[in-house]
Amino acid sequence: MSTQSPEPVRFDTKIAVLLRADLEPWQRLNVTAFLVSGLGAELPEVIGEPYEDADGVPYLPMFRQPVLVFEGTKETLTTAHGRALSRALPRAVFTSDLFTTGHDRDNRAAVRAVPTAELDLVGLAVYGPRNAVDKVLKGARMHP
């Protein structure tokens, strides 16, 4: 019997979140949670199987692969957003305006009210082939 752990799974795709570096800690957590919820809702292939503990208590399924979190400047976010759009990658955005809204309808209205080039992005989630996501995130650094 081998005591070695199995080889780690290497995914062909990547789930990544890019946050603006000047966010407060609570904002980073909130933005990340909102952004990844969009990916899970729209892309069923990123969701794994439901969980169950040893007593048979069921739990909701989660992403089947890690979510990598990066940070960058406002300019890095704007550039990454443009790259995600040009590559037609699935994406979710969080703008600074969403910190002042209280629910989904107002969130969507706040984003809809601003032209693409003028969005004040504080977060971006993107999913796709690993190399394409890496190109989108060029210039960003891993979140500390």
Side-chain angles (χ1 to χ4, degrees):
M1 183 175 192
S2 174
T3 59
Q4 293 180 349
S5 61
E7 287 292 314
V9 174
R10 184 157 167 91
F11 295 95
D12 293 333
T13 57
K14 185 179 272 189
I15 299 171
V17 173
L18 175 56
L19 301 171
R20 205 163 74 191
D22 62 350
L23 295 179
E24 294 293 327
W26 73 266
Q27 291 173 317
R28 291 170 185 252
L29 295 170
N30 184 266
V31 170
T32 300
F34 268 91
L35 287 171
V36 297
S37 71
L39 295 178
E42 199 62 28
L43 302 162
E45 69 271 19
V46 302
I47 303 297
E49 296 296 319
Y51 287 71
E52 183 176 293
D53 66 25
D55 293 323
V57 176
Y59 301 95
L60 295 172
M62 296 185 282
F63 289 125
R64 64 181 184 89
Q65 68 189 86
V67 176
L68 302 173
V69 181
F70 296 81
E71 69 175 8
T73 63
K74 180 177 181 172
E75 293 75 22
T76 302
L77 266 159
T78 300
T79 300
H81 181 244
R83 290 175 181 155
L85 290 173
S86 71
R87 288 170 173 76
L89 293 176
R91 67 217 163 260
V93 296
F94 198 104
T95 66
S96 62
D97 296 330
L98 302 188
F99 290 126
T100 63
T101 59
H103 51 80
D104 185 54
R105 185 185 66 234
D106 287 350
N107 288 350
R108 286 181 284 111
V111 172
R112 189 180 307 112
V114 181
T116 305
E118 295 174 26
L119 291 171
D120 185 16
L121 297 169
V122 299
L124 171 72
V126 64
Y127 170 76
R130 191 173 6 146
N131 61 344
V133 173
D134 288 343
K135 289 176 183 173
V136 165
L137 297 174
K138 186 177 180 182
R141 61 190 173 278
M142 287 295 292
H143 191 281

